[in-house]
Amino acid sequence: MNAPQPYVLYALADGVATLTLNLPAKLNPIARELQVELRDTLERIRDDRAVRAVILTGAGKAFCVGADLSAMAPGGEGKSLGAQTAEWMQSLSNPLIETLRTLPVPVVAAVNGAAAGAGVGLALAADVTVAARSAYFYLPFLPKLGIVPDLGCTWAIPRRTGRARAMGMALLDERLGAEQAVQWGLIWACADDEQLLDEARAIAQRLARLPAHAVAEAREAFEAAERHTLAEQLHYESERQRELIDRPTFREGVSAFLQKRPPSFPGR
């Protein structure tokens, strides 16, 4: 009897872990089983010091098309579909996004095709998002289903593009192509389809050479800026420098600069 196919493929090379959503026949919907397997894999990565960067991509023609609507049906215990969905999101989907956002290593999303619905939130949970030139981002929630964008879309999109463009994406039922997504600041870059994974690996390898604490510091600094006044953020920056300048990584960076060589930082 053949073993069941994993919902998430895993490969590790040169400190870069590649996670591939593996329901290509359905265009990688964010099924419950896939979410469980993806979160378990991310938790293992959290504890694996051999991993210094992560690539998240999809098998086949799509990155992730969001919820599998054909599989959504009320369960037992007299709960409505809405109540059941909210419970699944709060126990599984929301923690998945938070796990991605708090990994101790940088995450690169390589969007190889459609990123639709919750798949957009998944793609934007990465630290750096790159897309194939043929890829697109699409929010069908309100115009097609009468529900709000989820998995962090309403948090991430206005922070990247501004509220006007976020509202347009939410309401106008239009696909946003990869090149326009770059122009809007939604994602970092796009690449020719056949070069996408090579581009993602090159970025991930660069990120893997960073000081081990760099990604966490960057996330925290930019998120602090969202809630601070300028004076508060200036104070925050100076307090972080108080600690970080006394670390060995700063001394190595200065030595490398003076010696005109690339810095060499230890792993986490």
Side-chain angles (χ1 to χ4, degrees):
M1 185 174 179
N2 294 332
Q5 280 286 101
Y7 290 96
V8 179
L9 304 177
Y10 178 90
L12 177 63
D14 300 323
V16 176
T18 301
L19 281 58
T20 306
L21 308 181
N22 192 38
L23 286 172
K26 290 189 170 184
L27 304 180
N28 301 317
I30 193 162
R32 288 183 68 196
E33 297 85 356
L34 183 147
Q35 292 184 62
V36 169
E37 198 164 309
L38 179 56
R39 190 176 178 203
D40 288 347
T41 304
L42 293 171
E43 290 295 348
R44 290 199 302 273
I45 286 171
R46 185 185 297 279
D47 298 328
D48 187 350
R49 293 184 176 272
V51 179
R52 295 196 60 169
V54 171
I55 296 171
L56 179 64
T57 192
K61 298 179 179 180
F63 175 74
C64 175
V65 294
D68 184 357
L69 297 179
S70 66
M72 293 181 70
E77 303 177 8
K79 294 177 181 175
S80 70
L81 181 57
Q84 179 178 277
T85 301
E87 290 181 8
W88 287 346
M89 291 179 67
Q90 290 166 11
S91 64
L92 182 58
S93 307
N94 297 352
L96 171 61
I97 297 298
E98 291 172 357
T99 299
L100 267 172
R101 290 286 303 161
T102 59
L103 276 186
V105 295
V107 179
V108 179
V111 180
N112 53 300
V120 176
L122 195 61
L124 299 184
D127 299 294
V128 177
T129 305
V130 294
R133 212 167 295 279
S134 66
Y136 63 87
F137 300 83
Y138 175 50
L139 301 181
F141 298 94
L142 282 161
K144 296 295 190 186
L145 301 168
I147 61 176
V148 296
D150 56 23
L151 263 69
C153 287
T154 59
W155 187 90
I157 295 173
R159 281 170 168 77
R160 295 189 182 204
T161 69
R163 181 167 176 172
R165 285 172 168 163
M167 287 291 286
M169 285 186 68
L171 297 176
L172 293 179
D173 197 27
E174 294 183 4
R175 298 177 177 182
L176 183 70
E179 292 185 347
Q180 191 169 9
V182 174
Q183 294 169 8
W184 283 14
L186 185 70
I187 64 174
W188 172 249
C190 63
D192 292 339
D193 290 26
E194 62 275 11
Q195 298 297 321
L196 175 65
L197 280 180
D198 289 340
E199 177 70 13
R201 288 190 194 100
I203 292 172
Q205 287 164 359
R206 289 170 58 190
L207 296 174
R209 294 192 289 269
L210 293 173
H213 60 282
V215 66
E217 290 290 340
R219 289 173 187 150
E220 290 167 10
F222 287 118
E223 288 175 13
E226 293 284 342
R227 60 180 184 270
H228 284 169
T229 64
L230 174 59
E232 289 169 338
Q233 189 67 7
L234 289 168
H235 180 72
Y236 171 94
E237 292 168 353
S238 64
E239 286 300 308
R240 294 312 303 137
Q241 304 303 41
R242 181 194 301 275
E243 176 187 339
L244 297 173
I245 284 173
D246 288 338
R247 289 192 182 185
T249 46
F250 180 76
R251 293 193 292 274
E252 164 59 14
V254 172
S255 295
F257 175 79
L258 295 175
Q259 296 168 21
K260 296 183 170 59
R261 61 172 175 82
S264 178
F265 298 118
R268 58 189 177 108

